[in-house]
Amino acid sequence: MLRIALFFSFLLLSWAAQAAPLRIGVSETILSLPLYIAESEGFFQKRGVNVEFVNCVGGNRCVKNMLDGQTDLSTATELPVVFNSFTRKDFAILTSFVSVSNDLKVVARTDSKITEPGKLRDKTLGYVKGGASQYVLDLVLVYNGIDPDTVKLKTITPETALAALANKEVDALCIWEPFASRIELELGTDVQLVPIPKLYTETFNLIAMQSAIKSKPQELERLVRALKDSTQFIQTHPEKAKALAAKRLKIPVLVVDKIFDDYRYRLSLNRSLPRTMEGQARWALREGHVEASLPQPNYSGFLYPAFLKTVDPGAVSLQ
């Protein structure tokens, strides 16, 4: 029996090595840690799936690359899914693999004296368009009774965030990790975190083109299995996971250690996800971020739970 098992394992690995790789747009963030773990610990190989990472900065870019045909899958929060759902329906979320309510930070110049969210009023604020940065900044403003029209909004990118603060182009900005921590390390006492309420729990998701779902179902199921291996590894070997995150993101382990417990790494597809997306769609329509005449999509159609139901049935609760 052992010989038979080894033989079939060899066949599976040989098949995976010969198959065209699944190309995945992987965002440069601690949220992508399960992908990094799966690569580092050999879980893709173990599950017999050939994977190629296409690194990108920000889930919105990862999704754009996927929709442009550069990758089969992408990693992103649900926000880029919502923004793109108004104009096309040829992609779906296969699973969430981490949730967090403190990944987005508001970083302010110390000399701007923004010590609390209410002092964002009348300031110049930076945000990354088309993703959670834009959404969270708007939530923080509205929650604190600040009309977004009374602040000056400036579009930034993750790469220009530090310079925007250093050069006083903005008074504060909303950015995710590890960029927030990198800014703190680089600018030191010139910047400070603004304490904001936890108004939004974001998910980070594995998103696939429908063409890949139809043409590569076995490979995608194996990919989901590898991610389950990774999330379990993170839970049982947190120190090793932290060390890998620090190495991949090029930040000190002490920084990773400070934020690590904010992230809940596990596979899931819950009813809260489409509900959150429905609320985000209403926000996007109301605030003019998408064409107001477009109908609001049904977000259950942007979830594909079949692979997760096979891999981990208890992780799916969409009813």
Side-chain angles (χ1 to χ4, degrees):
M1 290 296 293
L2 179 59
R3 288 183 178 180
I4 293 173
L6 290 172
F7 174 73
F8 279 108
S9 296
F10 174 77
L11 285 181
L12 187 64
L13 293 174
S14 297
W15 177 88
Q18 296 173 10
L22 286 173
R23 305 194 73 204
I24 307 176
V26 180
S27 182
E28 183 185 313
T29 165
I30 193 170
L31 294 164
S32 293
L33 182 56
L35 278 297
Y36 300 148
I37 292 288
E39 181 185 55
S40 175
E41 296 299 314
F43 294 142
F44 293 136
Q45 184 180 26
K46 170 188 171 183
R47 293 300 181 180
V49 60
N50 189 6
V51 169
E52 179 183 341
F53 287 175
V54 178
N55 296 318
C56 40
V57 181
N60 54 342
R61 294 185 191 172
C62 291
V63 170
K64 183 180 185 302
N65 290 345
M66 180 186 72
L67 297 179
D68 288 345
Q70 298 177 32
T71 62
D72 304 297
L73 304 101
S74 65
T75 59
T77 69
E78 72 284 348
L79 251 303
V81 174
V82 170
F83 276 117
N84 286 284
S85 67
F86 287 93
T87 55
R88 54 194 300 175
K89 301 179 180 179
D90 55 345
F91 57 97
I93 295 174
L94 305 186
T95 183
S96 302
F97 52 85
V98 59
S99 61
V100 58
S101 57
N102 195 34
D103 183 55
L104 275 292
K105 307 291 199 313
V106 174
V107 188
R109 289 190 52 82
T110 305
D111 58 15
S112 69
K113 302 188 186 306
I114 305 173
T115 55
E116 59 184 45
K119 294 185 178 181
L120 292 167
R121 195 185 311 272
D122 301 322
K123 300 295 185 179
T124 300
L125 308 177
Y127 71 96
V128 180
K129 186 176 182 180
S133 166
Q134 182 177 8
Y135 183 60
V136 168
L137 182 58
D138 193 82
L139 286 180
V140 170
L141 293 174
V142 173
Y143 182 81
N144 286 277
I146 302 172
D147 186 340
D149 291 336
T150 65
V151 301
K152 183 179 180 181
L153 295 174
K154 180 180 177 62
T155 303
I156 59 168
T157 68
E159 297 93 335
T160 62
L162 190 151
L165 283 168
N167 299 332
K168 300 187 178 182
E169 298 169 17
V170 297
D171 299 303
L173 52 79
C174 186
I175 197 70
W176 58 88
E177 294 289 1
F179 294 97
S181 291
R182 287 174 179 166
I183 289 170
E184 286 188 280
L185 286 171
E186 184 73 20
L187 299 183
T189 57
D190 288 342
V191 296
Q192 61 186 8
L193 289 182
V194 181
I196 60 174
K198 296 179 180 180
L199 303 172
Y200 160 60
T201 298
E202 68 181 295
T203 61
F204 210 62
N205 309 287
L206 183 67
I207 307 159
M209 295 300 297
Q210 289 287 358
S211 56
I213 293 172
K214 292 176 182 177
S215 64
K216 301 179 179 181
Q218 292 181 330
E219 295 96 314
L220 293 182
E221 182 182 314
R222 292 175 184 139
L223 176 58
V224 173
R225 288 190 186 280
L227 286 182
K228 183 179 180 182
D229 294 337
S230 292
T231 56
Q232 291 175 335
F233 181 92
I234 293 169
Q235 293 164 22
T236 56
H237 300 85
E239 297 308 315
K240 192 169 183 179
K242 290 175 188 178
L244 177 62
K247 181 179 179 181
R248 292 297 294 255
L249 300 175
K250 299 178 182 178
I251 55 177
V253 174
L254 286 175
V255 172
V256 175
D257 191 61
K258 183 178 71 171
I259 64 176
F260 189 79
D261 289 342
D262 292 337
Y263 301 85
R264 187 182 184 192
Y265 293 99
R266 68 179 185 88
L267 303 189
S268 68
L269 279 178
N270 299 325
R271 178 59 188 141
S272 60
L273 178 56
R275 287 176 178 168
T276 296
M277 295 166 75
E278 289 164 6
Q280 291 167 341
R282 290 192 293 270
W283 162 78
L285 287 165
R286 183 179 67 250
E287 299 300 322
H289 300 312
V290 297
E291 176 57 49
S293 62
L294 294 172
Q296 181 171 317
N298 177 1
Y299 287 103
S300 62
F302 287 88
L303 306 179
Y304 193 87
F307 302 130
L308 185 57
K309 281 183 177 179
T310 301
V311 172
D312 188 355
V316 180
S317 55
L318 293 173
Q319 300 302 319

